[in-house]
Amino acid sequence: MSKLKVYGVAGSRAYRTLWMVNELGLEYESIPVHFADGSAKTREYLAINPNGRIPAIDDDGLKLWESMAINLYLAKKHDKGLWPKTLEGEALAIQWSFWVMTEVETPTLAVLFHRVFLPEDQRDPKAAEDGEQQLQGPLKVLDQALAKTGHLIGSTFTVADLNVASVLAWAKIGRANLSAYPHVEKWLIAAMQRPAAVKAAPRRG
Ligand SMILES: N[C@@H](CCC(=O)N[C@@H](CS)C(=O)NCC(=O)O)C(=O)O
């Protein structure tokens, strides 16, 4: 059995995978494939992820890509409390993972890119504002979902919380105003402060 390989640098969607493997306490080999230096387009890496994107994993021969699918797989395989205990819970984990990718990721990226990530002369404040505006509906939905227990499924932190928070972390870094969504704000700060999330985060400075 070979050691789990995680492909992708922390300052990318691979943060989600790195957070999960740290949360599960897995031993793994980190292979710092970068999205911008051509290393995701080499023949060797395309054999892992033919899309030429990060993250991807190689788990003893299973080559898997798509950040949410990777996290759902790892949470279920290494059941350390992150995987829901019921079929209904599993359905909700899948629901929230699809939801964050389809409803939240694109506007979140607009906020992050146009406030923080792009060089200043390439930032468009209007694009950031539009992204923040588009997030209002999904944030309201999320706030309502968190109101009861402070978690998305039951009353403990699961893969659903991790997958959604790992995307919304970019909104926080992009200084999106979350003050109208107190449950989201509290939950997101707590999630981002989990030791595994801190360990996975890109080093700054
Ligand atoms: N839906 C994919 C998207 C992966 C993705 O686009 N990753 C970016 C880095 S954050 C990438 O590799 N971009 C390189 C490219 O598009 O050429 C996932 O969630 O894993």
Side-chain angles (χ1 to χ4, degrees), residues 37 40 81 90 101 103-104 140 190 193 201:
D37 68 0
E90 290 182 18
M101 295 298 277
E103 305 283 341
V104 175
K140 192 170 170 204
Q193 286 175 349

CSV table of all heavy atoms in Angstrom, one decimal, residues 37 40 81 90 101 103-104 140 190 193 201:
chain,number,residue,atom,x,y,z
A,37,ASP,N,2.5,27.5,-13.2
A,37,ASP,CA,3.9,27.4,-13.7
A,37,ASP,C,4.1,26.3,-14.7
A,37,ASP,O,5.2,25.9,-15.0
A,37,ASP,CB,4.9,27.2,-12.5
A,37,ASP,CG,4.7,25.9,-11.8
A,37,ASP,OD1,3.8,25.1,-12.3
A,37,ASP,OD2,5.4,25.6,-10.9
A,40,ALA,N,1.0,21.7,-13.9
A,40,ALA,CA,-0.2,21.0,-13.9
A,40,ALA,C,-0.5,20.5,-15.4
A,40,ALA,O,-1.5,19.8,-15.6
A,40,ALA,CB,-1.4,21.9,-13.4
A,81,GLY,N,-15.6,10.7,12.1
A,81,GLY,CA,-16.6,11.6,12.6
A,81,GLY,C,-17.0,12.7,11.6
A,81,GLY,O,-18.0,13.4,11.8
A,90,GLU,N,-25.8,11.8,4.5
A,90,GLU,CA,-24.9,11.7,3.3
A,90,GLU,C,-25.5,12.5,2.2
A,90,GLU,O,-24.7,13.2,1.5
A,90,GLU,CB,-24.8,10.2,2.8
A,90,GLU,CG,-24.0,9.3,3.8
A,90,GLU,CD,-23.9,7.9,3.2
A,90,GLU,OE1,-24.1,7.7,2.0
A,90,GLU,OE2,-23.5,7.0,4.1
A,101,MET,N,-20.3,24.7,-4.9
A,101,MET,CA,-19.6,24.8,-6.2
A,101,MET,C,-20.5,25.6,-7.2
A,101,MET,O,-19.9,26.3,-8.0
A,101,MET,CB,-19.3,23.4,-6.7
A,101,MET,CG,-18.3,22.7,-5.9
A,101,MET,SD,-16.7,23.5,-5.7
A,101,MET,CE,-15.9,22.9,-7.3
A,103,GLU,N,-23.3,27.6,-6.5
A,103,GLU,CA,-24.0,28.9,-6.1
A,103,GLU,C,-23.0,29.9,-5.5
A,103,GLU,O,-23.2,31.1,-5.5
A,103,GLU,CB,-25.1,28.6,-5.1
A,103,GLU,CG,-26.1,27.6,-5.5
A,103,GLU,CD,-27.2,28.2,-6.4
A,103,GLU,OE1,-27.3,29.4,-6.5
A,103,GLU,OE2,-27.8,27.4,-7.1
A,104,VAL,N,-21.9,29.3,-5.0
A,104,VAL,CA,-21.0,30.2,-4.2
A,104,VAL,C,-19.6,30.4,-4.8
A,104,VAL,O,-19.0,31.5,-4.6
A,104,VAL,CB,-20.9,29.6,-2.8
A,104,VAL,CG1,-19.9,30.3,-1.9
A,104,VAL,CG2,-22.3,29.5,-2.1
A,140,LYS,N,-27.7,34.0,2.8
A,140,LYS,CA,-29.0,34.0,3.5
A,140,LYS,C,-29.4,32.5,3.8
A,140,LYS,O,-29.8,32.2,4.9
A,140,LYS,CB,-30.1,34.8,2.8
A,140,LYS,CG,-31.3,35.1,3.6
A,140,LYS,CD,-32.2,36.1,2.9
A,140,LYS,CE,-33.5,36.1,3.6
A,140,LYS,NZ,-34.6,36.6,2.8
A,190,ALA,N,-14.8,30.1,13.2
A,190,ALA,CA,-14.5,28.9,13.9
A,190,ALA,C,-13.9,27.8,13.0
A,190,ALA,O,-12.9,27.1,13.4
A,190,ALA,CB,-15.7,28.3,14.7
A,193,GLN,N,-10.4,28.5,12.0
A,193,GLN,CA,-9.4,28.5,13.1
A,193,GLN,C,-9.1,27.0,13.5
A,193,GLN,O,-8.3,26.8,14.4
A,193,GLN,CB,-9.9,29.3,14.2
A,193,GLN,CG,-9.8,30.8,14.0
A,193,GLN,CD,-10.4,31.7,15.1
A,193,GLN,OE1,-11.1,31.2,16.0
A,193,GLN,NE2,-10.1,32.9,15.0
A,201,ALA,N,-3.5,26.0,5.4
A,201,ALA,CA,-3.5,27.4,4.7
A,201,ALA,C,-2.2,27.7,4.1
A,201,ALA,O,-1.1,27.4,4.7
A,201,ALA,CB,-4.0,28.4,5.7
